[in-house]
């Protein structure tokens, strides 16, 4: 029954909570509208297990709405799937 405030959460838990909040807000605001969710490296500070769970949540959201995600981590891009567009020096 104890109340855990945000500042008591671990960094990974804060990141997962923040992503869940963003997805919930995007779902609410885009419910009946066309739109896009743009995220910058949402998996970067997550451990591998949380990365997999977050990637699945993003993929599920992407089944309904367009998601544009920026990352400099090739492994994250592979984990997320979708259409990959490489930008910058040495882009594939």
């Amino acid at each position: 029954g104890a109340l855990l405030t945000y500042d008591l959460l671990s960094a990974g838990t804060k990141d997962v909570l923040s992503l869940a909040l963003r997805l919930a807000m995007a779902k609410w605001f885009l419910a009946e509208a066309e739109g896009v969710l743009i995220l910058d490296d949402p998996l970067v500070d997550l451990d591998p297990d949380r990365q997999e769970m977050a990637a699945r949540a993003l993929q599920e959201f992407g089944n309904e709405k367009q998601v544009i995600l920026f990352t400099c981590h090739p492994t994250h891009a592979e984990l997320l799937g979708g259409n990959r567009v490489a930008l910058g020096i040495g882009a594939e």
Side-chain angles (χ1 to χ4, degrees):
L3 178 65
L4 292 177
T5 59
Y6 185 77
D7 60 311
L8 296 176
L9 302 176
S10 69
T13 301
K14 287 178 182 178
D15 288 340
V16 169
L17 177 62
S18 296
L19 180 59
L21 180 59
R22 286 184 190 103
L23 291 174
M25 290 174 63
K27 184 175 181 179
W28 172 260
F29 286 111
L30 297 175
E32 300 299 324
E34 291 189 27
V36 61
L37 176 64
I38 301 173
L39 298 169
D40 183 22
D41 253 339
L43 307 182
V44 73
D45 291 325
L46 301 178
D47 62 65
D49 290 335
R50 286 183 172 137
Q51 286 177 0
E52 288 182 25
M53 289 185 286
R56 282 196 303 273
L58 287 164
Q59 289 166 341
E60 287 178 21
F61 185 86
N63 289 334
E64 301 296 322
K65 299 293 181 183
Q66 184 176 14
V67 177
I68 297 174
L69 192 140
F70 296 96
T71 184
C72 60
H73 301 277
T75 55
H76 295 175
E78 290 176 25
L79 185 62
L80 290 158
N83 298 319
R84 183 175 173 185
V85 177
L87 305 173
I89 299 172
E92 299 171 13

